[in-house]
Amino acid sequence: MNYDEAKNKFISTWGSLGTLWGINKAMAQIHALLLISPESLSMEDIMEQLQISRGNTSMNLRQLMDWGIVFKENKMGERKEYFTSEKDVQELARQIAKERSRRELQPTIKILKDVSNIDEDGTAKTKELIKQTKALHEMADTLDILMNRVIGQDHNWITKALVKLIK
Amino acid sequence: MNYDEAKNKFISTWGSLGTLWGINKAMAQIHALLLISPESLSMEDIMEQLQISRGNTSMNLRQLMDWGIVFKENKMGERKEYFTSEKDVQELARQIAKERSRRELQPTIKILKDVSNIDEDGTAKTKELIKQTKALHEMADTLDILMNRVIGQDHNWITKALVKLIK
DNA sequence: TCAAACTTTCAAAAAATATTGAAAGATTAA
DNA sequence: TTAATCTTTCAATATTTTTTGAAAGTTTGA
């Protein structure tokens, strides 16, 4: 496998993987491209390399910046904007964990809390609903605490967490 | 909030959440419904309660069984098939973690390994590609080990993992 | 063997999601 | 102020994903 093959394989794999951490293909591909580019890239560069439209590029870059994993850069004497991604993969993971907790886990926890707080009326179906949503609520809470714990740690958290768990 | 409101809220929340652990709405809703039903349900029951077609119900039930979180049940003297879900939420989480590792993490690890093994040709772009995919590979590996570690633990793993990490 | 009761399959339709590209909006330099 | 350069917006279009429902398939009892 040569450089171009490897690059394309990486970009397309990362792209299809994107859907499963909740971002679309173009967004994930832009991120992949920036991640492996030694230099920051302009919108034109990205459009050309990934063969996507200007509008698409613009919108997805904005989303990546909202996630806090891509940054704008301005080069002296140039009006054009350039983009780079977070290059430290552990920092990347922390940022993603943080955003997912905020966007998904926390709203879910709130709803589970509300649902599990309905009045117990003695019927089996109500009992079961309360019991299961309580259990989910508890688990989601624990997971969120765990994630935040992990986010608060330093750069080698993943390895450290592993070491702790293996002990 | 009364029972029916709470039930609908839970089912629709779980449904939209589904997309972010990689399953579609109907599949997640069927799962939610089974999770809070004290009795097992027939295909008719599910179709009626969620207002979805027979084909849809059939296909998604199969997928849930493939994930190992929904089971078929046969009642004596009845030809119809009934379905229940895994009711222990920690077991549910373990099962999901196991499947996601198998379906997503492991194939990704393989590709990252291949990509990071291309020949170093001295150029900056090749160096960067190798460096970043190696870092991702390492992280994915660690995560997979961590997940499997956790899957292998007993039913209170989440709490135990938390306790360990907090120490 | 047949027919009733049930489930699965899959092509077509519908719905949801992503993408395009041209117009409008900014920003800067002259 | 104007023109040049670049970015954003968004309605229209394209693509992907999900859902439907009827036909085919399966199982069981008589």
Side-chain angles (χ1 to χ4, degrees), chain B residues 2 4 10 20 30 35 56 73 77 125 130 133 135 137 140 165:
Chain B
N2 63 29
D4 282 334
F10 175 64
L20 52 83
I30 293 172
L35 189 66
N56 201 357
E73 246 179 28
K125 60 184 193 177
I130 292 175
T133 50
H137 179 250
L165 285 177

Side-chain angles (χ1 to χ4, degrees), chain B residues 3 17 55 101-102 147 155 162:
Chain B
Y3 174 76
L17 231 68
S101 161
R102 186 175 69 77
M147 273 172 64
H155 273 198
L162 178 65

Side-chain angles (χ1 to χ4, degrees), chain A residues 18-133:
Chain A
T19 55
L20 52 84
W21 48 281
I23 70 175
N24 73 38
K25 202 182 74 176
M27 191 173 153
Q29 290 191 343
I30 293 172
H31 176 251
L33 176 61
L34 291 174
L35 188 66
I36 59 167
S37 296
E39 307 292 339
S40 56
L41 301 179
S42 68
M43 245 175 62
E44 301 284 343
D45 295 334
I46 296 169
M47 287 166 60
E48 194 194 344
Q49 291 211 42
L50 301 179
Q51 293 291 316
I52 57 178
S53 72
R54 185 175 298 284
N56 201 358
T57 308
S58 169
M59 287 177 125
N60 285 117
L61 277 171
R62 173 129 70 95
Q63 287 216 71
L64 285 164
M65 290 188 284
D66 288 347
W67 271 80
I69 56 181
V70 160
F71 316 102
K72 238 180 222 177
E73 243 178 31
N74 283 299
K75 295 198 178 177
M76 293 180 321
E78 289 217 53
R79 193 181 287 188
K80 219 182 291 186
E81 293 175 326
Y82 287 81
F83 301 89
T84 350
S85 89
E86 172 59 58
K87 291 292 170 82
D88 175 343
V89 298
Q90 301 224 350
E91 183 54 37
L92 186 68
R94 287 173 59 195
Q95 196 58 36
I96 290 169
K98 190 172 148 194
E99 285 295 309
R100 293 202 66 165
S101 162
R102 187 176 69 77
R103 292 169 194 230
E104 299 151 17
L105 212 44
Q106 281 163 28
T108 306
I109 287 171
K110 196 180 167 312
I111 286 165
L112 287 173
K113 197 177 157 193
D114 292 348
V115 169
S116 66
N117 269 329
I118 58 166
D119 290 336
E120 161 71 83
D121 64 6
T123 63
K125 61 184 192 177
T126 303
K127 274 200 182 108
E128 192 75 7
L129 176 61
I130 293 175
K131 182 179 149 207
Q132 296 297 41
T133 50

Side-chain angles (χ1 to χ4, degrees), chain B:
Chain B
M1 190 156 46
N2 63 29
Y3 174 76
D4 282 334
E5 286 167 347
K7 176 182 168 186
N8 291 337
K9 189 157 195 175
F10 175 64
I11 289 175
S12 75
T13 305
W14 209 240
S16 37
L17 231 68
T19 54
L20 52 83
W21 47 282
I23 71 175
N24 74 38
K25 202 183 73 176
M27 191 171 153
Q29 289 192 342
I30 293 172
H31 177 251
L33 177 61
L34 291 173
L35 189 66
I36 59 168
S37 297
E39 307 293 338
S40 57
L41 301 178
S42 68
M43 244 174 63
E44 302 284 343
D45 295 335
I46 296 169
M47 287 166 59
E48 194 194 342
Q49 292 211 42
L50 300 179
Q51 294 290 317
I52 56 178
S53 71
R54 186 175 298 283
N56 201 357
T57 309
S58 170
M59 286 176 125
N60 284 117
L61 276 171
R62 172 129 72 95
Q63 286 216 74
L64 285 165
M65 291 188 283
D66 289 347
W67 272 79
I69 56 182
V70 161
F71 315 103
K72 239 181 223 177
E73 246 179 28
N74 283 299
K75 295 200 178 176
M76 291 182 322
E78 289 217 54
R79 194 180 285 187
K80 219 182 287 181
E81 293 175 326
Y82 287 81
F83 300 89
T84 348
S85 89
E86 172 60 58
K87 291 291 169 83
D88 175 342
V89 298
Q90 300 224 351
E91 183 54 38
L92 186 68
R94 287 171 60 194
Q95 197 57 36
I96 290 168
K98 190 173 148 194
E99 285 295 309
R100 293 202 67 164
S101 161
R102 186 175 69 77
R103 293 170 194 230
E104 299 150 18
L105 211 43
Q106 280 163 29
T108 305
I109 287 171
K110 195 181 166 313
I111 288 165
L112 288 172
K113 195 177 158 193
D114 292 349
V115 169
S116 66
N117 269 329
I118 59 166
D119 289 337
E120 161 72 84
D121 64 6
T123 63
K125 60 184 193 177
T126 302
K127 271 199 183 112
E128 192 73 7
L129 176 61
I130 292 175
K131 183 178 149 209
Q132 295 297 40
T133 50
K134 262 199 178 132
L136 288 172
H137 179 250
E138 209 171 296
M139 197 172 74
D141 247 358
T142 311
L143 207 74
D144 197 42
I145 292 169
L146 203 145
M147 273 172 64
N148 280 300
R149 198 77 220 164
V150 142
I151 288 163
Q153 299 209 353
D154 65 71
H155 273 198
N156 253 323
W157 64 267
I158 267 219
T159 317
K160 290 191 179 166
L162 178 65
V163 170
K164 277 196 179 181
L165 285 177
I166 283 177
K167 263 190 213 154

